[in-house]
Amino acid sequence: MTIDYDVVIIGGSLAGYHAALAATQLHATVALVEPKVDYGFTHHHALAEIGKLAQKLNDASGFGIHARHTDTSEECHISMAWQEAMLYAQCVASNLKEQHSPAMLAAQGVDVIVGSGQFQSSPQLAFAVNNRLLRARTYLLASGSRSEMPEIEGLQATGYLTLSNIWQSLKRETLAKNWVIIGGIPQSIEIAQTLARFGCSVTLVVKHPYLLPHLDPEIAILLQAQLEVEGVRVFTEKSVTQVRLIEDKKWIQAGDKAIETDEILVATGQQPNIESLNLATVGVKWYRRSLVVNDKLQTTNHRIYACGDVIGGYDFGNIANYEAKIALNNALFFPRLRVDYRSIPWAMFSVPMLAQVGLTEAQAKRQFGRKEVLVLRQYFKTVAAAQLRDETTGMCKIIVLGNGEILGASILGAEAGELISLIALAMSQKIKIKDLANLSPVYPSFSEILEQTATEWSKQKLNSNIALQEFLEGFFHFRRNWNL
């Protein structure tokens, strides 16, 4: 059988894009099919940054900065701000789209093929697209996911938005005033806060007891309080059972709450983009929300690998890229690398930012036992940099064993995404908590929170060791009374 490529990458996700470039750098021949990246995430992050600036301007009087009042009404001012914000977000998305264009990929040696295709197994395994058969030693699925629609009575007839089309909808001249967001995933929380910062009335409906099911409850409660302070109504442990259109108004029934709204955003989860790929013919199995893969990221067909949210989980770019590196190396060389998510962080771009790595307190205690686990926590209000920037909301929580091994961490606060990366590095390199306590971070800086939290370990160890306390008391008593 003639092999055209070392690897064919299917799907236009950013993980697929990065995998294609990495393959060319290794001098492998690679084709990327359907390189259409969705830049909705760029709109979201750009608007979130503008929302943060708007909030800072609202709070500027606390710093002694006072804005001049104009005759423009508040409603008109918000409308103009939204149009300008969307223009900025579109410019950022356009710049990124240019960087990831088919022409740029082709210049790097990637064979770019625009079109939809499917696998075929006869006479040999191949991928058919545009009346052409692509034969490769291995294949990598990086086709991403799309919004999954829950079965809610009246939802289809009433109309709704999803994460896939919300940014196209928001290009309108005016921004809807009232929003209900259904679903507790990172993107729904981020969008709820951004819309509230642009003056919208937002209700977030979550079926779990906390904002996210796998979030540390202590952190989740603190984040929910921040959202509510900013005007987001949060209903937890509520399932939406019915949606109705009554006199041109949309109504949501969430538990025992009836909510009137202008727009509905459904963000309950994602499902993989795999329907048109003919996977059953080539022996690739999947469940409702994800492909079946082993820890080497091989599907049930050992020549076909997968990475990113097509295999399930939240849509985090850094995790998808990590998986793409593992899958690509296994696809191009001997499949020996295994995924290990224990030291891979993730972050949610709320304000304050939320980031997590490894085990939460509850997970660690279930796995190792309550007596073996120490919980270290420190609050951002103790950090000089947080006081200077008036960003004192938040906490750092590190979970360790008695020997100082770091099991995980959760951070809610300014620069959490940068701080969690340091802890993730420490975990991956088996650096213990006492070494973090020996840091001498720049003062003032937010990295002080890591040193302060790590120092709690030695305090807890000392407080639990009565013999050592008595020895130290005796030693210093003797030393004070020693004749010099």
Side-chain angles (χ1 to χ4, degrees):
M1 179 182 75
T2 302
I3 298 295
D4 303 309
Y5 300 99
D6 294 301
V7 62
V8 168
I9 301 170
I10 298 146
S13 65
L14 282 178
Y17 168 86
H18 290 301
L21 287 182
T24 63
Q25 291 168 6
L26 292 170
H27 299 281
T29 55
V30 55
L32 178 63
V33 179
E34 202 176 10
K36 298 176 183 177
V37 178
D38 177 13
Y39 287 92
F41 71 95
T42 309
H43 287 83
H44 164 60
H45 288 304
L47 291 171
E49 287 298 319
I50 296 171
K52 285 164 62 176
L53 288 173
Q55 187 70 24
K56 282 291 186 185
L57 289 174
N58 290 334
D59 298 336
S61 59
F63 292 90
I65 302 171
H66 300 279
R68 294 181 179 178
H69 295 285
T70 66
D71 295 333
T72 308
S73 69
E74 182 182 356
E75 183 177 350
C76 179
H77 173 70
I78 292 174
S79 175
M80 281 296 292
W82 180 254
Q83 293 176 49
E84 293 168 5
M86 281 302 298
L87 180 61
Y88 170 75
Q90 290 169 38
C91 289
V92 174
S94 177
N95 290 339
L96 282 177
K97 190 173 182 179
E98 182 63 28
Q99 292 177 26
H100 300 158
S101 67
M104 293 291 288
L105 287 169
Q108 298 291 323
V110 179
D111 190 355
V112 177
I113 301 168
V114 179
S116 299
Q118 60 180 9
F119 282 102
Q120 70 170 42
S121 58
S122 179
Q124 293 95 20
L125 178 64
F127 192 79
V129 56
N130 297 345
N131 298 316
R132 176 183 172 190
L133 287 181
L134 307 180
R135 298 181 178 88
R137 182 68 60 186
T138 52
Y139 301 83
L140 175 58
L141 293 175
S143 50
S145 64
R146 66 184 186 280
S147 299
E148 182 183 50
M149 289 300 100
E151 294 182 3
I152 300 173
E153 182 184 343
L155 181 63
Q156 296 287 345
T158 304
Y160 58 92
L161 298 173
T162 68
L163 295 175
S164 302
N165 61 21
I166 181 175
W167 304 114
Q168 293 298 320
S169 173
L170 292 179
K171 290 179 181 179
R172 296 174 302 192
E173 290 188 3
T174 58
L175 179 63
K177 190 66 177 175
N178 300 298
W179 289 77
V180 169
I181 300 176
I182 305 172
I185 63 173
Q187 292 91 334
S188 67
I189 297 167
E190 294 166 356
I191 292 171
Q193 190 175 40
T194 298
L195 290 172
R197 290 186 165 206
F198 277 98
C200 299
S201 174
V202 183
T203 301
L204 179 63
V205 182
V206 180
K207 69 178 182 180
H208 307 291
Y210 302 102
L211 288 174
L212 296 175
H214 304 300
L215 196 60
D216 185 286
E218 199 171 4
I219 296 288
I221 291 170
L222 190 56
L223 176 59
Q224 181 174 333
Q226 178 64 30
L227 291 175
E228 291 172 340
V229 164
E230 295 190 27
V232 179
R233 286 197 304 170
V234 181
F235 293 144
T236 57
E237 295 187 275
K238 302 286 186 187
S239 293
V240 176
T241 56
Q242 194 177 70
V243 178
R244 285 277 187 265
L245 189 63
I246 303 174
E247 296 180 355
D248 296 328
K249 285 291 184 180
K250 297 177 181 179
W251 285 85
I252 302 268
Q253 187 68 40
D256 58 351
K257 305 287 186 182
I259 310 163
E260 180 187 337
T261 186
D262 299 322
E263 286 286 4
I264 300 170
L265 172 64
V266 178
T268 53
Q270 300 291 102
Q271 60 182 0
N273 292 321
I274 57 174
E275 285 79 2
S276 63
L277 298 179
N278 199 27
L279 295 179
T281 300
V282 291
V284 175
K285 295 181 180 179
W286 70 92
Y287 292 128
R288 182 181 176 188
R289 288 194 176 189
S290 62
L291 289 170
V292 178
V293 294
N294 61 19
D295 58 0
K296 297 177 182 178
L297 298 179
Q298 287 173 307
T299 67
T300 46
N301 183 320
H302 72 279
R303 289 175 58 191
I304 301 175
Y305 293 76
C307 66
D309 50 330
V310 72
I311 64 174
Y314 292 137
D315 183 12
F316 293 124
N318 66 308
I319 295 178
N321 288 338
Y322 165 74
E323 292 168 343
K325 292 175 186 176
I326 299 290
L328 182 66
N329 275 276
N330 285 339
L332 292 178
F333 305 105
F334 185 76
R336 59 182 180 81
L337 300 180
R338 303 174 187 272
V339 288
D340 183 357
Y341 297 105
R342 288 178 296 179
S343 59
I344 305 299
W346 61 268
M348 187 170 71
F349 292 85
S350 54
V351 180
M353 191 175 187
L354 187 152
Q356 194 164 291
V357 66
L359 302 178
T360 63
E361 177 183 354
Q363 291 168 340
K365 288 180 176 178
R366 281 198 300 268
Q367 184 171 335
F368 294 95
R370 300 182 66 86
K371 293 183 179 179
E372 301 298 321
V373 173
L374 297 178
V375 180
L376 316 176
R377 58 172 63 80
Q378 191 61 263
Y379 296 91
F380 272 70
K381 63 185 179 182
T382 65
V383 177
Q387 294 286 348
L388 288 167
R389 279 176 35 179
D390 192 27
E391 297 182 26
T392 55
T393 299
M395 68 179 295
C396 175
K397 188 173 182 179
I398 303 178
I399 314 301
V400 299
L401 289 176
N403 63 3
E405 180 185 349
I406 304 172
L407 300 177
S410 300
I411 303 177
L412 178 70
E415 311 299 339
E418 307 296 334
L419 297 173
I420 205 71
S421 295
L422 292 176
I423 298 177
L425 177 63
M427 291 174 64
S428 67
Q429 299 302 310
K430 310 297 183 185
I431 296 172
K432 295 195 172 183
I433 194 69
K434 65 179 180 180
D435 298 308
L436 283 183
N438 290 329
L439 282 174
S440 297
V442 171
Y443 179 88
S445 71
F446 284 95
S447 54
E448 286 182 77
I449 193 80
L450 298 183
E451 179 197 26
Q452 292 180 10
T453 310
T455 302
E456 291 295 313
W457 177 77
S458 58
K459 291 181 183 178
Q460 289 193 28
K461 294 290 286 184
L462 178 59
N463 291 339
S464 63
N465 192 332
I466 303 301
L468 180 57
Q469 292 181 51
E470 291 176 347
F471 168 78
L472 290 173
E473 288 178 7
F475 170 77
F476 286 113
H477 177 76
F478 172 78
R479 192 169 180 267
R480 285 192 301 272
N481 290 282
W482 180 263
N483 291 322
L484 295 177

